[in-house]
Structures are given as C-alpha cells and as structure tokens.
Amino acid sequence: MAVFGIPWYFALIWAVFATIFYMVRYRKVETLKNPWIIAGIFALNFFFFAFAVIAFILLEYIRSKRKKK
C-alpha cells in the first residue's frame, strides 16, 4: 500500500468482491459456511492479495499504454 500509494478502500472493495466470489463459487463446500473461515478469507484477501492485484492491474495498464505509443 505504501509502495504504490493505493488507497485502502480500493483494496477493501477488491477483498469484498473476492470474498463474495469465493462464497458464490464454492457455495456447496461445507467449510465455507463457517463465518470465521469467511472472515479469514476476507482478511487474507485484504491484507495480502488485494494490494498486489490492484498494483498488478495498474502496472499492466500503464505498460500496455506505453506499448501502444
């Protein structure tokens, strides 16, 4: 977050989206019905993956714009 200057609310939005996606995609999995596991997935998405995913998307967008010029 500090390296790329990405606001925390972008990561929060991504983490909510990813968590809901996992809940919908794996709705028949019994362990995902536990709210503590859902909270853990959300925390992992927010603290470890969301900033990296957003930074990757931004960097790839910038790289593709430079290639077109």
Side-chain angles (χ1 to χ4, degrees):
M1 175 171 65
V3 174
F4 292 106
I6 298 169
W8 63 270
Y9 49 87
F10 286 153
L12 180 67
I13 292 168
W14 179 265
V16 168
F17 168 75
T19 304
I20 291 172
F21 176 79
Y22 292 146
M23 288 174 60
V24 170
R25 174 69 176 92
Y26 300 107
R27 66 184 170 269
K28 293 181 182 177
V29 176
E30 197 63 37
T31 56
L32 286 181
K33 294 181 180 175
N34 184 345
W36 289 107
I37 292 177
I38 297 298
I41 290 172
F42 172 78
L44 284 174
N45 280 319
F46 183 71
F47 291 112
F48 294 114
F49 303 122
F51 292 110
V53 168
I54 293 169
F56 175 75
I57 291 170
L58 288 174
L59 291 173
E60 286 298 314
Y61 177 74
I62 291 168
R63 190 178 66 83
S64 71
K65 288 295 182 184
R66 286 185 179 171
K67 249 185 184 180
K68 289 181 183 178
K69 290 182 180 178

